[in-house]
Amino acid sequence: SKDAIKKVIFAFAGGATLSSLVVILSYAQVYVIPAAFTHFRNFSLAGSALAASGISALAVIILFSELLGCKKMIAKYALGVLCILNFVAVALIGSIPGYGLLITGVITAFLMTPSVKVVESKFLISVLGVVFVLVGVVFAVPSFKNTLKLGYDYPKDLKLNAGASWIVTTSSLRDFPLFGTGPSTFYLNFSHYRPLSLNVGNLWTVGYDKPFNEFFDVAATLGIVGFLVYLLLVVKVFKLAKRSDHSTTNVA
């Protein structure tokens, strides 16, 4: 039912907001978890900065979509505050994929939401837009960061480059074409098929459990069948969205 879906959506947004809050507090060196292994400035509940950025971006998209259809002003402003909190986490991490996901999602929400609902929320949308730009500029421009004593950059996640990912993926497909090597086995594929070019440089001892992007991962671990099912899921979701009544829950 739509009510059940709405509860799931808000449960996810609530968990994502908690993740964003931990990211912000860790950056400020306020450690809410007593365990010593969590006491560093780029700690996140998501396991990596890139994952945390993506989760926070999804929370902004979901909360923004629900905000456009909310009728109670108090609830609207509460959703707006939560949008800002999650956006601060995205800006803090400064991940390009995180920003890409955020921009794509917000534009899609605008396009799918009836114009009447957008006009009704134009003041709050304008305020959010100004805040987003200001926060984005503060964290993107080094001089602003230094003035505010925010001169700390998140260490980037180590990521396998596209060329090496292509070699590992195609080698896996050559040997296991239909069903791949199984879910979450890319780290095994990497150890078997890693190119010799990775032996040059300081990172030659590093093992990777994920390729450059999700498409490489699906193809290598789930094979041709898995990749086609993955694409079918994407098509199904788009068709479902197109047929929906464009309520804010469906948009989210």
Side-chain angles (χ1 to χ4, degrees):
S1 68
K2 191 172 285 188
D3 286 340
I5 292 169
K6 196 163 190 172
K7 286 176 184 175
V8 170
I9 285 173
F10 275 109
F12 173 81
T17 302
L18 178 62
S19 171
S20 298
L21 186 61
V22 170
V23 166
I24 295 166
L25 290 175
S26 296
Y27 179 85
Q29 294 182 297
V30 177
Y31 303 116
V32 292
I33 302 173
F37 71 88
T38 67
H39 294 181
F40 54 95
R41 291 187 76 177
N42 66 330
F43 172 75
S44 77
L45 296 175
S48 74
L50 187 62
S53 176
I55 289 170
S56 298
L58 281 172
V60 175
I61 297 163
I62 288 170
L63 293 166
F64 180 75
S65 301
E66 290 289 354
L67 177 153
L68 293 176
C70 192
K71 298 193 184 316
K72 295 181 180 176
M73 289 308 295
I74 295 175
K76 259 187 191 299
Y77 283 107
L79 290 170
V81 170
L82 293 178
C83 277
I84 292 169
L85 191 150
N86 283 287
F87 180 76
V88 169
V90 175
L92 197 62
I93 295 168
S95 159
I96 299 299
Y99 274 123
L101 175 62
L102 178 67
I103 293 167
T104 305
V106 170
I107 290 173
T108 304
F110 266 121
L111 294 175
M112 289 184 64
T113 304
S115 56
V116 177
K117 292 182 180 179
V118 175
V119 171
E120 287 173 355
S121 305
K122 63 182 179 181
F123 173 73
L124 192 52
I125 291 170
S126 301
V127 172
L128 285 175
V130 171
V131 172
F132 284 5
V133 169
L134 289 175
V135 171
V137 168
V138 165
F139 285 108
V141 179
S143 57
F144 280 113
K145 290 181 74 175
N146 293 334
T147 303
L148 296 172
K149 297 182 179 179
L150 299 173
Y152 171 82
D153 291 319
Y154 266 77
K156 294 189 181 298
D157 295 336
L158 284 177
K159 196 172 183 181
L160 189 61
N161 63 60
S165 298
W166 172 256
I167 291 170
V168 174
T169 299
T170 51
S171 300
S172 301
L173 281 171
R174 179 195 63 210
D175 295 342
F176 305 95
L178 285 180
F179 300 105
T181 53
S184 302
T185 55
F186 188 84
Y187 72 101
L188 295 173
N189 297 342
F190 175 77
S191 63
H192 288 153
Y193 306 116
R194 59 175 291 160
L196 292 174
S197 59
L198 294 179
N199 292 339
V200 180
N202 298 328
L203 300 177
W204 68 275
T205 59
V206 175
Y208 295 87
D209 62 350
K210 289 284 184 184
F212 183 73
N213 61 37
E214 190 71 14
F215 294 107
F216 284 136
D217 192 35
V218 171
T221 59
L222 301 179
I224 295 170
V225 173
F227 192 77
L228 291 175
V229 171
Y230 186 83
L231 293 180
L232 179 64
L233 174 64
V234 173
V235 171
K236 281 284 197 182
V237 169
F238 272 105
K239 283 185 175 179
L240 179 65
K242 194 175 179 181
R243 288 201 309 268
S244 75
D245 59 4
H246 288 198
S247 68
T248 50
T249 300
N250 281 336
V251 171

